[in-house]
Amino acid sequence: MAEVVLHGIAKTFGDTVAVDDLSLTIRDGEFVVLLGPTGAGKTTTLRLIAGLERPDCGRVTIAGRDVGRQSPAERDVAFVFQQYSLYPHLSVYDNLAFPLRSPARRLGVEEIDRRVREVARMVRIEHKLQNRSTRLSGGEMQRVAIGRALVRRPAIYLMDEPLSSLDAKLRAELRLELKRIQKELGSTLLYVTHDQIEAMTMADRIGILSEGRLVQIGTPREIYADPANLHVAARLGQPHINLLPIDLLPGAAVPSGALTIGARTEHLEIATSAQGNAEVDWIEHLGDQNHLHIRVRGHKLVTLADPYLSIKPGDRINLTLRQPLYFGPDGERLR
Amino acid sequence: MSSVNTAAHSVVEPTPTAKRIAGTIVILYALVTMIPLAWIFLTSIKSPPDSISYPPKVVFTPTLEGFCNLFTTRTRQTPDYIQALPPPTGTCDEITRGRNMVIAGPSNYWPRFGNSLLIAFGSTFLAVSLGTLAAYGFSRFRVPLADDLLFFILSTRMMPPIAVAIPIYLMYRQFGLSDTALGMILLYTAVNVSLAVWLLKGFIDEIPREYEEAAMIDGYTRLQAFWKVVLPQATTGIAATAIFCLIFAWNEYAFAVLLTSGSAQTAPPFIPTIIGEGGQDWPAVAAGTTIFLVPILVFTIILRKQLLRGITFGAVRK
Ligand SMILES: Nc1ncnc2c1ncn2[C@@H]1O[C@H](COP(=O)(O)OP(=O)(O)OP(=O)(O)O)[C@@H](O)[C@H]1O
Ligand SMILES: [Mg+2]
């Protein structure tokens, strides 16, 4: 396990700037999640660390040594790919054993067998060890892919949306499991996802990427409660943050220069009132949550509904802001 | 047909009727293409008079005379001389004496057949090995002028190889490669390698690079990753390519006639020379051809499974 540092790395493909002057420190034993829209450069960042791409400029250091001239094998990283993860001509067992059998490692047959079985139990695939890897479901394949990374103890684990094709239940289980394993081993892990629940629950720190730039990095709490700009604020929160003109609702202490107010559920106070400033449009029942769709003078808002609040579509309510977020014309946060 | 009925069928699976019609057509076609082969085989077990009788005989007494004549050289003797010999030691001995001849020694068939095996399999192995490496390079690395190079490689196939026969003949004489197995292997390799590069590049392009990248991260060098991950997945393409190369090298006649005459002669130029050795010996020629077909047949059957998948050129794989 080791600290991994990116010093101002950049990578362009033709005209596309995939990664732009990115600096990031992943501390020894830290779980960092990269969050960003599609095409933001998340995969490219992982590939730059692994040595599968050469940066146009900047340096990557792993445990203090500059790895710029090292091959992927020498860098001692493990990678879980977004797709095409398993060797199709090998069985599950051989897939898991593959990294251990590398000529550079030279482990004994028994040692390999012990570690393969241990990791198979960890990712719950031990009943399919002899299967051809092409005869697995998508979820099983992803578990084997994760297992193939976990079978080693590299300087850093790089995982590119490893849980994306699992069903919700298994995903929740593996999320916990992965976090537990990481803590137990004290592993350094850089993890890419689109899923904010994964990011919020697993990360020590979350980095938000946009168009190849690292927009903000901080603890999940910081990123959620204290976003640096509109882009970051829009990435987290379910339902999505509501963006409103500053004079729409009462209760705001607007700083000068603010153009937009960002209001999540916790920034909105609801009271039933026949003379209220808003009207309930409809209520979306998602099972564990109820989304309340509200209309205020032609603007639409979505917020979480208190299950004990007795309102129905058509009711009038009074909506007040409570310490919302303010953004300037360039989208930067104003405090 | 009612909509209920069509809905009962899977969309991708042909109906039983369609399958039966297709099957019948395939069987008929197979029969037609196999008639010449059957004819050659039947001729090989006819006696020389039966083989040229008109109308052709379909019912006849089979004999090994063709094979005996193929494997031996014989000299004509007087009946008195043959009478004085000790009793015949084998079937061929007996058949030969019946024609007033005695066996003088083994023919050159097996040595020529051996040359064919060595040259065809040797050149196929080389062409496929070199082709795989070149195709991998073209597929994975940014080769300067890759497209032009690939076109150039293919352009060597744009004229019939025999068009360059004279320069090659002169060159070979100069280098002492005429009538050597090495010379023939090099020649067939050169002709086949362009085909191999093109066919294999298509197959290797279809293997996602992520597999090698994963292997390289897992602690393997690129060469090891190529060996452990790319090759096993390219077996289909390699098998298909190998069969095409082998068939060309095995059947090649024009260069073989021109460049080999003695110790390195292959079977194709040798077989016609049998005709000369004592009249129109069609059964011996047919016997030589029958045996000549066997290696390709065996090779194709061994690689049949790979070939069937490979021959679609990756159209509908995955
Ligand atoms: N090999 C390549 N050649 C050309 N362009 C590339 C290449 N790899 C990535 N890009 C481009 O770089 C940008 C960033 O790609 P990247 O794969 O890093 O995105 P991502 O954040 O992983 O997206 P996703 O969430 O969809 O996986 C994209 O615009 C992409 O088109
Ligand atoms: Mg990606």
Side-chain angles (χ1 to χ4, degrees):
Chain A
M1 296 303 127
E3 181 183 74
V4 175
V5 187
L6 311 182
H7 303 270
I9 53 166
K11 178 76 188 173
T12 49
F13 296 104
D15 296 336
T16 317
V17 181
V19 171
D20 190 6
D21 191 22
L22 183 85
S23 295
L24 170 67
T25 301
I26 303 137
R27 298 182 202 118
D28 190 3
E30 192 179 28
F31 195 131
V32 173
V33 170
L34 286 182
L35 206 56
T38 178
K42 306 182 294 293
T43 300
T44 308
T45 305
L46 297 192
R47 291 173 61 86
L48 284 163
I49 297 174
L52 296 174
E53 307 282 355
R54 296 218 170 277
D56 300 335
C57 63
R59 284 183 308 125
V60 178
T61 61
I62 297 178
R65 64 203 149 90
D66 188 333
V67 293
R69 305 211 154 276
Q70 291 186 342
S71 70
E74 290 165 330
R75 292 189 185 196
D76 189 27
V77 302
F79 204 127
V80 179
F81 285 82
Q82 200 168 356
Q83 53 182 150
Y84 295 126
S85 30
L86 303 184
Y87 305 116
H89 59 295
L90 298 179
S91 69
V92 170
Y93 186 98
D94 290 334
N95 261 282
L96 291 174
F98 194 82
L100 302 177
R101 286 182 182 149
S102 104
R105 239 159 242 121
R106 278 198 221 126
L107 292 176
V109 180
E110 277 143 46
E111 170 71 3
I112 291 176
D113 188 64
R114 192 183 60 72
R115 279 164 71 169
V116 166
R117 286 180 195 285
E118 180 186 301
V119 86
R121 208 163 29 247
M122 240 190 255
V123 293
R124 277 171 251 157
I125 199 77
E126 66 260 57
H127 56 296
K128 294 261 166 92
L129 276 177
Q130 298 315 322
N131 279 39
R132 272 293 280 271
S133 59
T134 44
R135 307 248 167 85
L136 297 176
S137 75
E140 288 164 343
M141 285 187 196
Q142 266 191 329
R143 275 184 283 159
V144 178
I146 295 171
R148 203 179 60 204
L150 293 180
V151 82
R152 292 166 48 199
R153 300 281 173 268
I156 184 169
Y157 293 103
L158 304 168
M159 300 196 181
D160 199 352
E161 308 192 28
L163 305 183
S164 59
S165 70
L166 304 179
D167 65 62
K169 180 166 172 289
L170 195 59
R171 202 162 163 159
E173 277 175 29
L174 273 182
R175 204 163 67 210
L176 288 175
E177 190 75 356
L178 206 55
K179 181 67 192 169
R180 189 184 63 73
I181 294 167
Q182 183 263 340
K183 252 200 210 139
E184 223 171 78
L185 303 176
S187 326
T188 312
L189 208 159
L190 184 58
Y191 186 103
V192 164
T193 182
H194 280 122
D195 182 320
Q196 60 160 310
I197 300 181
E198 277 175 28
M200 292 299 288
T201 54
M202 295 200 284
D204 295 321
R205 284 191 300 156
I206 296 176
I208 306 283
L209 273 186
S210 167
E211 293 173 2
R213 294 181 156 274
L214 186 66
V215 187
Q216 187 177 4
I217 180 152
T219 63
R221 199 64 235 159
E222 282 166 13
I223 298 282
Y224 181 81
D226 200 10
N229 61 24
L230 265 179
H231 176 86
V232 177
R235 291 238 59 88
L236 292 177
Q238 195 51 252
H240 266 247
I241 193 165
N242 297 292
L243 301 176
L244 312 167
I246 46 171
D247 53 358
L248 189 71
L249 293 173
V254 185
S256 69
L259 188 74
T260 313
I261 284 182
R264 294 197 179 106
T265 298
E266 61 271 25
H267 302 131
L268 292 168
E269 213 162 298
I270 298 171
T272 43
S273 153
Q275 288 84 47
N277 57 0
E279 185 188 324
V280 175
D281 216 1
W282 53 294
I283 301 170
E284 202 179 359
H285 298 280
L286 301 182
D288 56 339
Q289 307 181 336
N290 296 327
H291 285 187
L292 193 59
H293 293 249
I294 305 169
R295 216 166 358 162
V296 189
R297 283 192 273 135
H299 287 274
K300 293 189 171 182
L301 277 73
V302 187
T303 178
L304 280 183
D306 180 347
Y308 300 107
L309 190 67
S310 61
I311 43 176
K312 56 185 190 308
D315 283 358
R316 289 209 75 82
I317 53 173
N318 210 15
L319 211 53
T320 321
L321 289 169
R322 190 168 48 178
Q323 297 172 356
L325 309 172
Y326 305 99
F327 299 97
D330 54 356
E332 288 304 305
R333 174 91 180 284
L334 300 173
R335 289 159 221 264
Chain B
M1 211 190 252
S2 78
S3 62
V4 177
N5 231 334
T6 43
H9 287 299
S10 148
V11 185
V12 288
E13 191 77 0
T15 62
T17 331
K19 271 191 196 164
R20 230 169 283 135
I21 293 172
T24 314
I25 292 174
V26 167
I27 288 170
L28 281 178
Y29 181 73
L31 283 177
V32 169
T33 54
M34 276 177 346
I35 285 173
L37 295 182
W39 193 254
I40 288 172
F41 175 69
L42 288 178
T43 305
S44 76
I45 52 173
K46 283 178 182 173
S47 64
D50 280 349
S51 73
I52 50 171
S53 74
Y54 188 84
K57 277 195 181 171
V58 180
V59 182
F60 58 90
T61 328
T63 161
L64 284 176
E65 188 170 352
F67 287 89
C68 289
N69 291 353
L70 175 68
F71 295 139
T72 60
T73 54
R74 301 157 305 281
T75 50
R76 191 161 289 282
Q77 293 296 345
T78 57
D80 298 341
Y81 175 86
I82 289 169
Q83 216 71 70
L85 287 174
T89 50
T91 326
C92 280
D93 228 3
E94 210 177 314
I95 294 172
T96 314
R97 285 183 198 184
R99 300 268 175 214
N100 282 338
M101 291 194 278
V102 291
I103 294 172
S107 76
N108 270 335
Y109 185 73
W110 285 122
R112 301 305 184 244
F113 188 85
N115 285 340
S116 266
L117 282 178
L118 173 69
I119 290 167
F121 279 90
S123 70
T124 299
F125 176 78
L126 272 183
V128 172
S129 311
L130 294 174
T132 310
L133 291 174
Y136 180 76
F138 276 117
S139 173
R140 294 301 197 256
F141 298 111
R142 235 175 289 137
V143 180
L145 301 177
D147 289 349
D148 303 287
L149 280 174
L150 280 170
F151 181 79
F152 172 71
I153 289 173
L154 190 65
S155 71
T156 60
R157 300 280 295 208
M158 287 181 188
M159 55 190 164
I162 202 68
V164 291
I166 303 296
I168 286 178
Y169 177 76
L170 295 174
M171 227 158 63
Y172 268 44
R173 220 177 42 185
Q174 198 72 32
F175 289 132
L177 286 171
S178 303
D179 202 21
T180 62
L182 178 66
M184 294 313 287
I185 290 177
L186 288 180
L187 181 70
Y188 291 161
T189 304
V191 175
N192 271 336
V193 88
S194 61
L195 174 80
V197 170
W198 271 80
L199 281 182
L200 285 163
K201 181 171 179 297
F203 284 103
I204 292 178
D205 279 344
E206 293 224 337
I207 303 172
R209 316 163 163 249
E210 275 84 350
Y211 294 128
E212 289 143 83
E213 293 180 337
M216 287 196 281
I217 288 173
D218 282 344
Y220 293 77
T221 63
R222 181 174 280 279
L223 210 60
Q224 289 162 343
F226 170 77
W227 192 254
K228 291 243 172 202
V229 177
V230 179
L231 272 192
Q233 292 186 65
T235 45
T236 305
I238 290 174
T241 310
I243 287 184
F244 285 124
C245 291
L246 184 73
I247 288 175
F248 169 81
W250 188 252
N251 291 334
E252 206 285 329
Y253 179 76
F255 277 118
V257 167
L258 192 71
L259 297 176
T260 67
S261 48
S263 62
Q265 192 182 43
T266 54
F270 174 76
I271 292 172
T273 65
I274 303 167
I275 301 178
E277 293 178 4
Q280 304 263 304
D281 200 350
W282 291 115
V285 172
T289 310
T290 304
I291 296 174
F292 185 67
L293 290 173
V294 172
I296 291 276
L297 203 66
V298 171
F299 193 69
T300 313
I301 288 172
I302 291 173
L303 296 184
R304 186 176 43 185
K305 237 171 72 189
Q306 269 80 0
L307 190 66
L308 276 181
R309 281 191 295 144
I311 212 104
T312 59
F313 293 107
V316 270
R317 283 187 290 137
K318 268 187 212 164

